[in-house]
Amino acid sequence: MAKTGRPGAWRAALGYLLTLLGPIFAAAPLFALATATGWLDGLSRTETNLMVALGSLALAPLALWAALALLHGRSFRSLLSADGLWRWREAALGAAAAICVVGAGLGLGLATGLTEVAAIENYTPPWALLATAMLLIPAQATGEELVYRGYLLQ
């Protein structure tokens, strides 16, 4: 089993609050900075909300690290596995499998006609949104898994 750290129900309760509310409060200044610099200009309200939500969840590992260090006396690596080691090979195999499954699903959908690609005149893809989403979605998924499977279940 992973190192459990210092006991105490109050530590767990405070750690839950820190890991769940910390990213929300940390995202506020980042959202203000993105708005002030014009990074979010041209995005719809839905796209902006998506970026704020993904950004706040991507900050979850920082709040989790603070909860582990300050409240439990544990290292961040204690969430990765029982022995605290990150297994690069398994992570790479999982990422490759996910890319293959998504690619096969999209290819099958296009080949069978279940998925349509619509041509829209004068359409410019939101490149800033796509680039940001490509960076934030893996960070968000990692943060979510570390919080819920790594911290809350331990």
Side-chain angles (χ1 to χ4, degrees), residues 12-47:
L14 189 58
Y16 296 154
L17 285 175
L18 184 61
T19 57
L20 297 176
L21 297 177
I24 295 169
F25 292 116
L30 292 177
F31 177 71
L33 179 65
T35 303
T37 59
W39 179 254
L40 299 175
D41 291 350
L43 296 181
S44 70
R45 185 181 181 110
T46 303
E47 293 168 337

Side-chain angles (χ1 to χ4, degrees), residues 91-109:
L93 287 173
I99 289 169
C100 290
V101 168
V102 170
L106 182 60
L108 188 63

Side-chain angles (χ1 to χ4, degrees), residues 84-151:
L85 298 175
W86 175 256
R87 293 175 176 82
W88 288 102
R89 184 170 191 256
E90 285 83 358
L93 287 173
I99 289 169
C100 290
V101 168
V102 170
L106 182 60
L108 188 63
L110 290 171
T112 59
L114 295 174
T115 304
E116 295 181 13
V117 179
I120 302 172
E121 288 186 35
N122 300 323
Y123 176 72
T124 303
W127 295 113
L129 174 69
L130 293 173
T132 307
M134 293 302 289
L135 293 173
L136 289 180
I137 288 174
Q140 174 269 330
T142 302
E144 191 174 318
E145 290 297 318
L146 287 172
V147 169
Y148 295 113
R149 292 184 190 260
Y151 185 70

